Amino acid sequence: MKTYINPPKSTWSEILQRPGFSVVELKNQVQAILTEIKTDGIQALRKYTEKFDGVILGDLAVSPQEIEDAGNLVDPILKNAISIAAANIQKFHESQVPQTKRIETTTGVTCWQKAVAIDKVGLYVPGGSAPLFSTVLMLAIPAKIAGCREIVLCTPPDKDGRINPTILYAAQLVGVTQIFKLGGVQAIGAMAYGIDCVPKVNKIFGPGNQYVMAAKQLVSISDVAIDMPAGPSEVAVMADSTANPAFIAADLLSQAEHGPDSQVVLVTNDHSLIEKVVLELSRQLKELPRKSIAEKALANSQAIVLDRVEEMIELINGYASEHLIIAMENYSDVSQKIINAGSVFLGNYTPESAGDYASGTNHTLPTNGWTRSFSGVNLDSYLKKITFQEITCEGIQNLGPVIETMAAAELLYAHKNAVTLRLEEIRRKQ
Amino acid sequence: MKTYINPPKSTWSEILQRPGFSVVELKNQVQAILTEIKTDGIQALRKYTEKFDGVILGDLAVSPQEIEDAGNLVDPILKNAISIAAANIQKFHESQVPQTKRIETTTGVTCWQKAVAIDKVGLYVPGGSAPLFSTVLMLAIPAKIAGCREIVLCTPPDKDGRINPTILYAAQLVGVTQIFKLGGVQAIGAMAYGIDCVPKVNKIFGPGNQYVMAAKQLVSISDVAIDMPAGPSEVAVMADSTANPAFIAADLLSQAEHGPDSQVVLVTNDHSLIEKVVLELSRQLKELPRKSIAEKALANSQAIVLDRVEEMIELINGYASEHLIIAMENYSDVSQKIINAGSVFLGNYTPESAGDYASGTNHTLPTNGWTRSFSGVNLDSYLKKITFQEITCEGIQNLGPVIETMAAAELLYAHKNAVTLRLEEIRRKQ
């Protein structure tokens, strides 16, 4: 970690510059694959699956038998853990169900907003070194609560054409309706266009590498909505002298082990803390299977001392971190002033990994500074809010003249006339 | 209008094909302007304002004097209408303020979601033939309720370098913090990158033509969030024998007068209704100043008879209209089955123009089928929801083993260790 002691404000954004993550350079390459998928359909999906996943695909769809077999392969202790995590995620996302409120804005004019599920959603779960069944829970549970009719999941097959059994087990547990053996750009293209047995969905969710992200952004221009832009994972820790250096080191390492491009930032008002954390980092690193990945991530990371808590808060809001741990005595006060963050972990006994798996909050969060304008995945992500209005004869008599005046001032006389005709008819009937 | 009697379901999507609206072909052209704005800054803004708006810009920012002068130019009757509309929009959007609920998912594990305003928002109000001050109300009022700190508005100047006074009046009334004389791609580029005195915002809102839309989508890839994709405006009307043909014609025309590419669709189970509506259309068209625009839009539009109400609903949900009028006796039952629409108008006395101006609902809505996955602008559009979690010693003892099991199964041992260290420390202290 690079250390900075009270760096002047003018240098903050440079110090906190994220590792390059740009989809711009990949756009042409990814667009070419997407176009080929749109044109050649299943053939292109097979071609790129062979190329990128190293397997010649049989059926795209995972069969009921494969799902049943998977259930028998998962350790009962893990099954139990998954069911506890799923229950917490369920409970927290159920608490987000919006209520419809009817508002009479003018006498006789009633308006309301109704939340309706997005009909078909597509979930992407990356492959790679770790079987991310937790992402299945995070993406599918709110989809089910929202009432999405079709919940489609794509995840890449291994070299034998199989999907990790825990991913299949989690998917059937939480109500995914169809699972396909597709990864990368192939998965995004198939769900965006509807290819072969893969249905065209209305919105695509889930994390992925730069290629997946580029594909999601490209299909979002004309074909399908997406959850959010994303980049490599990141955590910021705010700590004071009451923080535990071993806990902080462990939290920084949980982020760092995600990938060499992960970023971790430590901000503290305690000058002596950084040294203790660095010592703990080297001690804990030794034991980690993913040591070399974590080391690379740490090399790009920052430890910053700022004497004033207000400055710590300002820097953290400017950085707009995906995950934020506040290990400070007065974490409650500090947390009230946080305006840019994805998910916030309060106090010494709230590790980021709690939110990654089981506290109940969602772990699919905006990165790369997008917490300035995006929420993490939550129940709302699977809902649209349709507005309704119902106006009585009395209502249009009350509000009609206002509409007529405004429409005329905007030179939209047909808009005005739609009111005038109704008011005339009411007058005639009276 | 083209008329179809009980068309088979297989033909619906072809019948309802929207007029072409593609930003794909414009992308290179618009990207070139955006790149020039990013590189040359204010010079590029001046160059393109001269080219597209026909005026050599003095100050980009509207001065306090211009705003004060504008207030004196607006008719008091219009001012009164605007204040009533603004109050209704305020009341309806205030009803959308979310409540924070703290949920204990496991004993000692508390999670909550907190809505926080997006700090800086940019609003775009198009120029053109009509001064769209109503869009100022629709975009700025929820921004103010949400608590956005900076509310920036861009709208193109006329050939004399001036902004329509009603737009300026509405902007200051509802709390816009800065107004700039910029239109089209220039406005979007300036707010996305922060050029000269125009601040870089976190999210851009508002309607616009194909160039504006292309610019919004391009800057949304790396720089700034946007409200939604959009295309030409559209309305669908569901009507039965209780509907009033004159009202329907007036409503169809209020949509058609927006632009030659507007689309209007009428679906009814009453065979005789279409003829009556067509007669009314030609009668009302004669009186309209924007007759030639409305005629062009109507030429691309459809009237469809479907005998069964369930089929009408299915077709309407498939079309996924921006505006939907339900002029049917049992509109309440029918409306419960609508899953894809932006804003819905119920009964014979609820014209679309009520929602365009003054009922309280927002008129910035997804078009081009995007209501399948997007909400219209609403309070949420200006908020991010940050999740928080607070875990006690008891909480981590309860949930820790679950996290450890799942992290180990995902081969993320640093994630596991962040829990293990905490559990060990608690055991040592006991």
Side-chain angles (χ1 to χ4, degrees):
Chain A
M1 297 185 90
K2 292 174 208 120
T3 303
Y4 302 86
I5 312 293
N6 285 310
K9 208 175 286 188
S10 59
T11 63
W12 290 359
S13 66
E14 206 192 314
I15 290 172
L16 292 171
Q17 187 105 46
R18 289 169 164 89
F21 178 84
S22 167
V23 301
V24 175
E25 296 121 52
L26 305 177
K27 260 168 51 180
N28 291 342
Q29 191 186 345
V30 172
Q31 184 61 62
I33 300 176
L34 287 171
T35 306
E36 200 175 328
I37 291 170
K38 204 168 186 174
T39 317
D40 297 349
I42 178 82
Q43 268 180 289
L45 298 183
R46 288 190 190 285
K47 170 180 156 185
Y48 287 106
T49 300
E50 189 175 350
K51 184 169 175 184
F52 295 126
D53 300 310
V55 59
I56 296 172
L57 266 182
D59 283 340
L60 287 183
V62 172
S63 69
Q65 186 63 49
E66 284 174 283
I67 293 170
E68 201 187 314
D69 292 349
N72 300 324
L73 292 170
V74 181
D75 183 328
I77 293 174
L78 180 55
K79 281 186 181 174
N80 183 52
I82 289 175
S83 76
I84 293 170
N88 283 356
I89 297 165
Q90 175 96 13
K91 206 186 270 185
F92 184 57
H93 288 76
E94 270 174 353
S95 78
Q96 298 163 20
V97 173
Q99 299 303 313
T100 294
K101 286 185 217 156
R102 294 172 72 98
I103 303 295
E104 193 170 46
T105 54
T106 288
T107 304
V109 179
T110 308
C111 304
W112 64 98
Q113 215 189 20
K114 182 182 165 191
V116 178
I118 296 174
D119 200 38
K120 298 180 194 179
V121 296
L123 316 181
Y124 183 68
V125 175
S129 47
L132 300 177
F133 57 84
S134 59
T135 300
V136 178
L137 306 182
M138 295 293 175
L139 297 179
I141 291 172
K144 195 75 191 171
I145 297 169
C148 302
R149 199 169 48 85
E150 287 193 39
I151 305 172
V152 174
L153 187 146
C154 285
T155 192
D158 65 16
K159 294 213 183 321
D160 300 316
R162 285 179 307 205
I163 308 289
N164 178 285
T166 316
I167 288 184
L168 294 183
Y169 171 75
Q172 63 77 30
L173 181 74
V174 297
V176 168
T177 53
Q178 283 171 285
I179 310 172
F180 298 99
K181 298 173 182 177
L182 286 171
V185 180
Q186 305 92 274
I188 305 304
M191 294 192 284
Y193 308 134
I195 302 291
D196 200 67
C197 53
V198 184
K200 175 177 169 48
V201 301
N202 305 123
K203 188 168 182 178
I204 296 178
F205 295 78
N209 62 17
Q210 296 178 329
Y211 292 89
V212 168
M213 198 54 239
K216 281 173 68 181
Q217 291 200 320
L218 287 165
V219 297
S220 77
I221 291 180
S222 309
D223 298 287
V224 62
I226 62 171
D227 50 355
M228 66 184 84
S233 197
E234 57 199 28
V235 68
V237 178
M238 299 174 80
D240 64 12
S241 58
T242 66
N244 181 318
F247 297 175
I248 293 179
D251 293 335
L252 295 175
L253 286 172
S254 355
Q255 198 54 45
E257 76 173 340
H258 271 300
D261 52 3
S262 291
Q263 198 181 17
V264 308
V265 175
L266 169 62
V267 188
T268 180
N269 56 357
D270 177 6
H271 287 244
S272 70
L273 185 72
I274 292 176
E275 204 177 320
K276 293 177 209 158
V277 170
V278 168
L279 211 69
E280 275 293 336
L281 281 172
S282 64
R283 198 195 323 257
Q284 293 179 28
L285 252 176
K286 285 189 205 128
E287 316 280 322
L288 280 188
R290 294 166 75 98
K291 181 176 177 226
S292 67
I293 292 174
E295 274 177 334
K296 280 185 201 138
L298 286 177
N300 291 322
S301 297
Q302 292 76 29
I304 301 167
V305 174
L306 287 172
D307 287 332
R308 291 179 46 238
V309 173
E310 289 305 321
E311 281 205 310
M312 290 171 66
I313 294 168
E314 192 179 339
L315 177 137
I316 284 295
N317 279 329
Y319 179 59
S321 188
E322 180 192 12
H323 303 97
L324 172 63
I325 297 173
I326 309 182
M328 297 172 74
E329 193 170 16
N330 58 346
Y331 61 76
S332 185
D333 294 345
V334 172
S335 73
Q336 315 256 340
K337 295 177 183 157
I338 297 304
I339 62 166
N340 294 325
S343 197
V344 184
F345 302 80
L346 300 173
N348 284 332
Y349 296 98
T350 314
E352 189 210 299
S353 51
D356 289 337
Y357 290 110
S359 65
T361 61
N362 209 290
H363 80 196
T364 313
L365 298 166
T367 59
N368 218 8
W370 286 108
T371 60
R372 297 184 192 105
S373 49
F374 278 87
S375 310
V377 164
N378 65 94
L379 191 67
D380 268 350
S381 315
Y382 298 85
L383 298 169
K384 307 157 302 182
K385 297 192 178 157
I386 304 178
T387 51
F388 290 83
Q389 49 243 290
E390 186 177 0
I391 304 183
T392 62
C393 284
E394 188 191 357
I396 198 71
Q397 286 174 298
N398 288 334
L399 196 59
V402 167
I403 302 166
E404 290 179 306
T405 302
M406 292 175 77
E410 286 195 355
L411 313 177
L412 294 171
Y413 292 99
H415 283 66
K416 180 184 178 190
N417 200 40
V419 172
T420 309
L421 285 178
R422 283 168 167 94
L423 293 180
E424 284 172 1
E425 193 239 32
I426 292 169
R427 248 175 257 130
R428 274 198 307 276
K429 284 201 304 195
Q430 276 168 346
Chain B
M1 296 185 92
K2 292 174 208 120
T3 302
Y4 302 86
I5 313 292
N6 285 311
K9 207 174 287 186
S10 59
T11 64
W12 290 359
S13 67
E14 205 193 314
I15 291 172
L16 293 171
Q17 187 103 46
R18 289 170 164 89
F21 177 84
S22 169
V23 301
V24 176
E25 296 119 53
L26 305 176
K27 259 168 50 179
N28 291 341
Q29 191 185 342
V30 172
Q31 183 61 61
I33 300 176
L34 287 172
T35 305
E36 201 175 327
I37 291 169
K38 205 170 184 173
T39 317
D40 297 349
I42 179 80
Q43 268 181 287
L45 297 183
R46 289 190 190 285
K47 171 180 158 186
Y48 287 106
T49 300
E50 189 175 352
K51 184 169 176 185
F52 296 127
D53 300 310
V55 60
I56 295 171
L57 266 182
D59 282 341
L60 287 184
V62 172
S63 69
Q65 187 62 50
E66 284 174 283
I67 293 171
E68 200 186 316
D69 292 349
N72 300 325
L73 293 170
V74 180
D75 184 326
I77 294 174
L78 181 55
K79 280 186 182 174
N80 183 51
I82 289 174
S83 76
I84 293 170
N88 283 355
I89 297 165
Q90 175 96 15
K91 207 186 272 185
F92 184 55
H93 288 77
E94 269 174 353
S95 78
Q96 298 163 20
V97 173
Q99 299 303 313
T100 295
K101 286 185 216 157
R102 293 172 72 97
I103 303 295
E104 192 171 46
T105 54
T106 288
T107 304
V109 179
T110 308
C111 303
W112 64 98
Q113 217 188 18
K114 182 181 164 191
V116 178
I118 295 174
D119 200 39
K120 299 182 193 179
V121 296
L123 317 181
Y124 183 70
V125 175
S129 47
L132 300 177
F133 57 84
S134 59
T135 301
V136 178
L137 306 183
M138 295 294 176
L139 297 180
I141 291 173
K144 194 77 190 166
I145 297 169
C148 301
R149 200 169 48 86
E150 287 193 39
I151 305 172
V152 173
L153 188 146
C154 285
T155 192
D158 65 16
K159 294 213 183 317
D160 301 317
R162 283 179 308 208
I163 307 290
N164 178 285
T166 317
I167 287 183
L168 294 183
Y169 171 75
Q172 63 77 30
L173 181 74
V174 297
V176 168
T177 52
Q178 284 171 284
I179 310 173
F180 298 99
K181 298 174 181 178
L182 286 172
V185 180
Q186 306 91 274
I188 305 303
M191 294 192 284
Y193 307 134
I195 302 290
D196 200 65
C197 52
V198 185
K200 175 175 170 48
V201 301
N202 305 123
K203 189 169 181 177
I204 296 178
F205 295 78
N209 62 17
Q210 297 178 327
Y211 293 89
V212 168
M213 197 55 237
K216 281 172 69 180
Q217 291 199 321
L218 286 166
V219 297
S220 77
I221 291 180
S222 310
D223 297 287
V224 62
I226 62 171
D227 50 354
M228 66 185 84
S233 197
E234 57 198 28
V235 68
V237 178
M238 298 174 81
D240 64 14
S241 58
T242 66
N244 181 316
F247 297 176
I248 292 179
D251 293 334
L252 295 176
L253 287 171
S254 359
Q255 197 55 47
E257 76 173 340
H258 271 299
D261 52 1
S262 291
Q263 196 181 20
V264 308
V265 174
L266 169 61
V267 187
T268 181
N269 56 356
D270 177 6
H271 287 244
S272 71
L273 185 73
I274 291 176
E275 205 177 319
K276 293 178 209 158
V277 170
V278 169
L279 210 70
E280 274 293 336
L281 280 172
S282 64
R283 198 196 323 258
Q284 293 178 28
L285 250 177
K286 284 187 204 126
E287 316 279 322
L288 279 189
R290 294 166 75 96
K291 180 175 179 229
S292 67
I293 291 174
E295 273 177 334
K296 279 184 202 139
L298 286 177
N300 291 322
S301 296
Q302 292 77 29
I304 301 167
V305 175
L306 288 172
D307 287 332
R308 291 178 46 237
V309 173
E310 289 305 320
E311 280 203 311
M312 291 171 65
I313 294 168
E314 192 179 338
L315 178 136
I316 284 295
N317 279 329
Y319 179 57
S321 188
E322 180 192 11
H323 304 98
L324 172 62
I325 297 174
I326 309 181
M328 297 172 75
E329 194 171 14
N330 58 346
Y331 61 76
S332 185
D333 294 344
V334 171
S335 72
Q336 314 256 340
K337 294 176 184 157
I338 298 303
I339 61 166
N340 293 325
S343 196
V344 184
F345 302 79
L346 299 173
N348 285 331
Y349 296 98
T350 314
E352 190 210 298
S353 51
D356 289 338
Y357 290 110
S359 64
T361 61
N362 209 291
H363 79 194
T364 313
L365 299 166
T367 59
N368 218 7
W370 286 109
T371 60
R372 296 184 192 104
S373 49
F374 278 87
S375 311
V377 164
N378 66 93
L379 191 66
D380 267 350
S381 315
Y382 298 85
L383 298 168
K384 307 157 301 182
K385 297 191 178 157
I386 304 178
T387 51
F388 290 83
Q389 49 243 290
E390 185 177 359
I391 305 183
T392 61
C393 285
E394 187 191 357
I396 198 71
Q397 285 175 296
N398 287 333
L399 197 58
V402 167
I403 303 167
E404 291 179 304
T405 301
M406 291 174 77
E410 287 195 354
L411 313 178
L412 294 171
Y413 292 98
H415 284 65
K416 181 184 175 189
N417 200 41
V419 172
T420 309
L421 285 178
R422 284 167 167 95
L423 294 180
E424 283 172 1
E425 192 240 31
I426 292 169
R427 248 174 258 132
R428 273 199 306 276
K429 284 202 302 195
Q430 279 170 343

